[in-house]
């Protein structure tokens, strides 16, 4: 049996199978309609009406069962309420644990019911997508538009939670009354700050948010790491053993922060460093990009190394970065641009972001994973802002034993010292997870259909047709066939980059291309900032550093706005397309055409491009985390690695573009580098429009 079937058996909802949307029936209907369309094109209107009627009946069956189950839960809560009142009057504190457990039992049953609703909601979406694909007709748009806002539509009830909210409210109030207040019975309404949410309530709220697609800043930010989201908890998850080492997690986040600082600390001074070594200022593109070139390869071998160990690759990463930064700093006194480039190549070879992401996936408990993922993204954003800010403080010059310390070399020396301190901290404090625990963790994730992808892949268990019928349907598209997705093979991690590529649907490929586009545009903006501002505005390195630091500081506030408000007001695909258009506008405004290039034009266009790209990155990765195959959530060739490679490749191409454009002269550098950004952005907008309806 597939993993999801085991999960359903564990949740004891097998008796509900008759109330699921009948995917087997709907698939047969689609086949019949295909035959009718082939026989006569005049049947199209009849097919749309008949399919709508059948689907309405299926949804109605599910909704009526949902209301019946909610009524039973309400009846149980009413009975428990009477017992609760009697307990308070008798001041029988011995029965409080028993009463708490009774309320939690109701909460667990409500969680099963929410699981039931979620499975049906996903099944409904799969059915609509299958119909659209087979007929080339956007039935989904018609069906949702006509049913979503109708006062008598049963479709509204699938995502409407008035009854569930009432049950959650009753559970929360009574559990809070009983929790830690066994003698005083303090009300949550009088002292809301004293009421700590019960774990079962947190699980229910997470399930409701998952159904309504509502997000908060933490969830939104956590998805950026492309780390598998925690599954809908089951009763067995209440006592999950938090076997992880906090200091080791902190060391991983510190590694992420330091690496991002290391990446951006040289941006304000890369052009002046190149000039001091006798190279052109535009060679700064090669200096900055050499780190990204090496990261293309380091991401793969670090991801593979993490299958066996975390401690050893982190130590190796720290040593390589220590050597790389030392070479970068010594290049000034050695007067060698090649030593400078080799130093940056070493820094790229020490990129351990794959290790950092993988540690969170394998070694952080499910109930902590979203917070750890958000910490990973926050550490990256903070490092991006701190790098240029730190560079602005290193405006001094002195010598020690013929070794020069100035604004060009100090970033290398400071980072070398930072990695040395980190290496000692790592050696003293990091705790290598045992291989047995790691294997068990991976097996547990595999068996539970981890994350949203796993849930989607497993939805077919109560909706499956027989094995004979599955054999008859082998000609259907693998991405849309739910029975195919539910096979055991779909739970195994991929073993090669080609296997991973084959799992990418057209919409996922478009989203990776969007990621490439935004990283390209951001890298062009950041990497050439020192050259452009020095040529047009005669800015000093400290001015450039302050400007870049201010850009970096916009990352978290922008994500707060998007994660807490925009994604709850609009569909993520709408925000995605709007952000692409804003990036396009920002790039267009950056061109130097007729009027003299001014500081307000540069700053405003750069801010618009950067902020829009940040919004685009967050929404794009949030969508990607939902639609990417669950097989890409584990193993060496995971979704995080693919997105990292796409972004790193974009940086390599962008930095190469800056270096090549430098041969045409400084007067043409700006437009020559912006033109490819504009063309790639236009292509991404067109690709998004073509796949818009498949971006859910």
């Amino acid at each position: 049996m597939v993993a999801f079937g085991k999960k359903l058996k564990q949740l004891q909802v097998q008796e509900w199978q008759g109330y699921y949307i009948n995917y087997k029936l709907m698939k047969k209907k689609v086949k019949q309609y295909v035959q009718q369309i082939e026989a006569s094109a005049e049947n199209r209107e009849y097919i749309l009406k008949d399919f709508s009627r059948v689907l309405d009946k299926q949804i109605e069956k599910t909704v009526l069962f949902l209301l019946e189950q909610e009524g039973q839960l309400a009846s149980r809560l009413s009975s428990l309420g009477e017992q609760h009142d009697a307990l308070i009057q008798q001041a029988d504190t011995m029965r409080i644990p028993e009463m708490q457990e009774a309320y939690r039992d109701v909460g667990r049953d409500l969680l099963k019911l929410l699981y039931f609703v979620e499975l049906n909601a996903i099944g409904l979406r799969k059915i609509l997508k299958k119909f659209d694909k087979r007929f080339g007709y956007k039935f989904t748009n018609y069906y949702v538009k006509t049913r979503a806002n109708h006062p008598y539509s049963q479709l509204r009830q699938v995502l409407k939670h008035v009854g569930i909210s009432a049950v959650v409210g009753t559970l929360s109030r009574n559990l809070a009354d009983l929790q830690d207040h066994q003698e005083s019975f303090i009300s949550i309404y009088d002292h809301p700050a004293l009421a700590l949410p019960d774990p079962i309530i947190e699980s229910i709220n997470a399930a409701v948010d998952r159904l309504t697609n509502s997000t908060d800043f933490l969830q939104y930010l956590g998805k950026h790491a492309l780390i598998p989201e925690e599954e809908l908890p089951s009763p067995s998850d209440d006592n999950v053993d938090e076997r992880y080492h906090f200091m080791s997690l902190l060391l991983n986040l510190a590694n992420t922060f330091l690496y991002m600082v290391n990446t951006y600390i040289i941006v304000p001074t890369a052009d002046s460093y190149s000039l001091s070594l006798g190279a052109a200022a535009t060679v700064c593109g090669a200096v900055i990009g050499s780190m990204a070139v090496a990261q293309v390869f380091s991401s793969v071998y670090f991801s593979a190394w993490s299958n066996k160990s975390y401690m050893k690759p982190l130590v190796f990463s720290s040593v390589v970065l220590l050597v790389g930064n030392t070479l970068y700093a010594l290049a000034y006194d050695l007067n060698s641009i090649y030593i400078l480039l080799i130093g940056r190549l070493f820094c790229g070879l020490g990129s351990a972001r794959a290790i950092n992401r993988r540690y969170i996936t394998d070694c952080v408990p499910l109930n902590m994973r979203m917070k750890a993922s958000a910490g990973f993204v926050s550490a990256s954003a903070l490092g991006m802002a701190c790098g240029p800010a730190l560079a602005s403080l290193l405006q001094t010059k002195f010598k020690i034993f013929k070794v020069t310390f100035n604004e060009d070399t100090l970033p290398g020396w400071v980072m070398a010292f930072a990695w040395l301190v980190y290496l000692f901290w790592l050696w003293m404090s990091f705790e290598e997870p045992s291989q047995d625990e790691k294997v068990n963790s991976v097996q547990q994730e595999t068996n539970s259909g981890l994350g949203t992808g796993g849930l989607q892949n497993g939805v077919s268990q109560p909706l499956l047709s027989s094995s004979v019928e599955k054999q008859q349907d082998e000609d259907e598209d693998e991405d849309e066939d739910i029975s195919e997705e539910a096979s055991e093979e779909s739970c195994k991690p991929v073993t090669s980059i080609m296997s991973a590529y084959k799992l990418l649907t057209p919409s996922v490929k478009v989203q990776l291309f969007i990621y490439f586009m935004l990283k390209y545009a951001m890298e062009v903006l950041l990497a050439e900032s020192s050259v452009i501002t020095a040529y047009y505005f005669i800015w000093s390195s400290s001015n450039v550093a302050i400007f870049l630091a201010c850009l970096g500081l916009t990352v978290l506030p922008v994500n707060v706005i998007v994660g807490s408000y925009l994604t709850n007001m609009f569909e993520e695909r709408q925000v995605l397309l709007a952000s692409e258009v804003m990036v396009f506008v920002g790039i267009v405004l950056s061109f130097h055409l007729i009027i003299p290039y001014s500081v307000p034009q540069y700053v405003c266009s750069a801010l618009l491009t950067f902020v829009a790209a940040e919004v685009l990155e967050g929404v794009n990765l949030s969508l990607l985390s939902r639609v990417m195959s669950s097989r890409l959530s584990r193993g060496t060739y995971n979704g995080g690695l693919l997105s990292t490679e796409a972004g790193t490749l974009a940086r390599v191409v962008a930095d190469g573009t800056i270096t090549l454009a430098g041969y045409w002269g400084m007067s043409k550098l700006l437009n020559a580098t912006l033109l490819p950004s504009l063309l790639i952005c236009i292509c991404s907008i067109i690709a998004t429009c073509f796949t818009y309806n498949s971006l859910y």
Side-chain angles (χ1 to χ4, degrees):
M1 296 294 290
V2 296
F4 200 73
K6 297 177 182 178
K7 175 62 71 175
L8 286 176
K9 186 176 181 180
Q10 180 185 8
L11 292 177
Q12 299 179 350
V13 293
Q14 292 292 341
E15 66 273 15
W16 294 356
Q17 287 193 25
Y19 301 98
Y20 285 95
I21 294 175
N22 193 332
Y23 181 77
K24 173 182 174 182
L25 172 65
M26 303 308 294
K27 191 163 64 171
K28 285 184 176 180
K29 281 286 185 182
V30 171
K31 286 185 176 181
Q32 293 174 5
Y33 295 148
V34 170
Q35 295 173 356
Q36 293 178 22
I37 287 291
E38 291 175 351
S40 174
E42 298 177 357
N43 292 326
R44 181 176 294 274
E45 189 68 24
Y46 163 77
I47 288 173
L48 294 177
K49 291 182 179 180
D50 187 62
F51 191 72
S52 299
R53 179 187 61 81
V54 175
L55 197 54
D56 286 339
K57 294 294 292 183
Q58 290 292 317
I59 295 175
E60 183 180 80
K61 173 188 66 176
T62 299
V63 169
L64 292 177
F65 175 75
L66 174 63
L67 295 174
E68 178 185 341
Q69 293 299 312
E70 287 179 353
Q72 293 179 11
L73 292 177
S75 177
R76 289 170 60 186
L77 284 175
S78 177
S79 176
L80 286 175
E82 296 176 358
Q83 299 177 37
H84 191 170
D85 292 339
L87 184 149
I88 293 177
Q89 293 174 1
Q90 298 171 7
D92 187 0
T93 59
M94 299 296 294
R95 291 184 55 201
I96 286 180
E98 178 184 348
M99 183 63 63
Q100 287 176 318
E101 192 59 30
Y103 277 117
R104 291 191 183 105
D105 284 340
V106 176
R108 294 186 185 103
D109 288 340
L110 176 60
L111 200 55
K112 296 176 188 177
L113 191 61
L114 288 169
Y115 215 155
F116 166 83
V117 176
E118 182 168 12
L119 290 172
N120 281 282
I122 295 173
L124 174 63
R125 179 172 63 85
K126 293 283 188 179
I127 290 168
L128 293 173
K129 288 178 68 176
K130 182 176 287 291
F131 188 94
D132 287 353
K133 179 183 178 182
R134 297 300 294 271
F135 288 90
Y137 179 81
K138 298 306 178 185
F139 175 78
T140 300
N141 294 343
Y142 157 76
Y143 189 81
V144 174
K145 182 178 179 180
T146 55
R147 267 84 175 160
N149 296 316
H150 195 281
Y152 304 131
S153 171
Q154 300 290 4
L155 181 63
R156 297 179 65 192
Q157 304 302 320
V158 174
L159 299 177
K160 191 176 180 180
H161 309 297
V162 176
I164 290 176
S165 298
V167 174
V168 174
T170 302
L171 283 171
S172 300
R173 181 182 64 81
N174 286 283
L175 282 172
D177 284 346
L178 296 172
Q179 184 179 19
D180 298 328
H181 306 302
Q182 299 183 3
E183 295 182 359
S184 60
F185 298 100
I186 297 176
S187 170
I188 63 172
Y189 301 112
D190 297 329
H191 301 278
L194 296 177
L196 298 175
D198 191 276
I200 193 66
I201 300 300
E202 292 183 337
S203 299
I204 293 171
N205 288 333
V208 172
D209 286 344
R210 197 189 296 269
L211 275 174
T212 57
N213 287 327
S214 64
T215 57
D216 58 24
F217 172 59
L218 180 65
Q219 293 172 327
Y220 175 78
L221 198 64
K223 291 178 181 178
H224 295 195
L226 279 184
I227 293 170
E229 189 177 354
E230 64 180 83
E231 66 177 345
L232 202 62
S234 66
S236 62
D237 295 326
D238 292 339
N239 299 319
V240 62
D241 184 10
E242 298 183 5
R243 291 177 297 178
Y244 82 106
H245 191 232
F246 174 75
M247 187 57 68
S248 299
L249 174 61
L250 189 61
L251 280 162
N252 269 274
L253 297 181
N255 185 284
T256 299
F257 169 76
L258 286 177
Y259 185 78
M260 293 303 291
V261 172
N262 209 148
T263 300
Y264 289 97
I265 194 173
I266 72 153
V267 173
T269 58
D271 61 330
S272 62
Y273 204 168
S274 300
L275 287 171
S276 67
L277 297 179
T282 52
V283 175
C284 69
V287 174
I288 297 171
S290 57
M291 190 172 181
V293 171
Q295 189 178 348
V296 171
F297 303 98
S298 66
S299 297
V300 178
Y301 69 71
F302 271 123
S303 183
W305 200 349
S306 64
N307 291 325
K308 299 180 179 180
S309 173
Y310 295 103
M311 177 72 172
K312 293 178 181 178
L314 284 175
V315 170
F316 176 79
S317 166
S318 303
V319 172
V320 171
L321 281 158
L322 173 60
V323 173
N325 282 287
T326 302
L327 289 174
Y328 179 85
L330 289 175
Y332 187 89
D333 292 305
L334 296 175
N335 194 30
S336 173
I337 188 69
Y338 300 107
I339 298 296
L340 186 72
L341 292 172
I342 292 172
R344 289 297 286 179
L345 281 171
F346 267 78
C347 290
L349 292 174
S351 172
R353 288 176 65 81
I355 299 287
N356 307 142
R357 182 184 283 109
R358 186 75 180 274
Y359 184 87
I360 296 174
T361 302
D362 292 345
C363 303
V364 176
L366 292 174
N367 61 339
M368 293 288 295
R369 190 170 298 163
M370 186 59 70
K371 294 180 181 179
S373 301
F376 174 84
V377 178
S378 300
S380 299
L382 189 60
M384 182 180 180
C386 286
L390 184 58
S392 68
L393 301 176
L394 304 177
Q395 304 295 315
T396 185
K397 184 175 182 179
F398 58 93
K399 279 192 174 185
I400 300 178
F401 300 113
K402 297 184 179 181
V403 177
T404 304
F405 296 85
N406 58 23
E407 64 177 13
D408 295 331
T409 63
L410 275 173
W413 290 119
V414 168
M415 291 312 303
F417 178 75
W419 286 114
L420 181 63
V421 173
Y422 176 81
L423 183 60
F424 281 111
W425 183 22
L426 179 72
W427 190 265
M428 298 295 295
S429 303
F430 191 85
E431 184 177 295
E432 179 76 80
S434 67
Q435 290 300 311
D436 292 339
E437 287 183 7
K438 184 178 175 182
V439 171
N440 292 336
S441 173
V442 173
Q443 290 177 345
Q444 180 182 0
E445 291 177 2
T446 303
N447 292 335
S448 61
L450 182 63
T452 307
L455 181 60
Q456 291 181 4
N457 291 347
V459 67
S460 54
Q461 178 59 22
L463 312 175
L464 277 176
S465 56
S466 66
S467 59
V468 176
E469 290 169 327
K470 282 192 285 183
Q471 290 294 326
Q472 296 173 348
D473 296 334
E474 285 181 350
D475 60 322
E476 296 188 8
D477 187 88
E478 188 175 8
D479 294 328
E480 300 295 334
D481 193 338
I482 299 181
S483 60
E484 182 69 19
E485 287 182 341
S487 66
E488 286 286 354
E489 184 67 23
S490 68
C491 295
K492 298 178 181 178
V494 294
T495 56
S496 67
I497 193 70
M498 290 305 299
S499 299
Y501 181 80
K502 291 178 181 178
L503 289 174
L504 303 182
T505 62
S507 61
V508 173
K509 291 177 182 177
V510 168
Q511 286 175 271
L512 288 175
F513 179 67
I514 293 172
Y515 192 65
F516 176 92
M517 180 274 293
L518 68 92
K519 284 297 183 182
Y520 184 94
M522 290 176 66
E523 186 68 11
V524 166
L525 169 64
L526 299 175
E528 72 176 9
S529 58
S530 58
V531 180
I532 295 298
T533 55
Y535 178 76
Y536 287 102
F537 317 128
I538 319 179
W539 280 10
S540 65
S541 297
S542 64
N543 290 334
V544 178
I546 293 172
F547 171 69
L548 294 179
C550 291
L551 282 182
L553 289 174
T554 63
V555 174
L556 290 180
V558 167
N559 280 317
V560 169
I561 295 172
V562 178
S564 300
Y565 300 103
L566 290 184
T567 53
N568 290 324
M569 297 170 61
F570 305 98
E571 293 183 16
E572 286 186 329
R573 56 180 178 174
Q574 293 175 329
V575 180
L576 181 83
L577 186 57
S579 301
E580 286 183 88
V581 174
M582 295 307 295
V583 171
F584 171 80
V585 173
I587 294 173
V588 170
L589 293 177
S590 299
F591 277 89
H592 178 208
L593 297 175
I594 301 174
I595 61 175
Y597 208 54
S598 63
V599 172
Q601 178 186 353
Y602 176 76
V603 171
C604 292
S605 60
L607 184 62
L608 178 61
T609 302
F610 187 84
V611 170
E614 280 298 326
V615 174
L616 180 59
E617 179 178 1
V619 176
N620 186 57
L621 291 180
S622 180
L623 279 169
L624 197 58
S625 68
R626 289 209 306 265
V627 302
M628 189 171 280
S629 170
S630 62
R631 292 185 63 190
L632 295 175
S633 66
R634 300 175 299 276
T636 301
Y637 304 96
N638 51 66
L641 176 64
L642 293 179
S643 64
T644 299
E645 292 293 278
T648 304
L649 185 61
R651 292 178 55 206
V652 171
V653 176
D655 293 325
T657 302
I658 294 172
T659 302
L660 291 176
Y663 290 104
W664 296 342
M666 291 297 298
S667 61
K668 298 180 180 179
L669 175 66
L670 180 64
N671 291 345
T673 53
L674 288 175
L675 186 59
S677 295
L678 184 65
L679 295 177
I680 296 173
C681 185
I682 292 173
C683 291
S684 74
I685 293 174
I686 294 173
T688 302
C689 291
F690 275 110
T691 59
Y692 184 78
N693 290 308
S694 62
L695 298 176
Y696 289 96

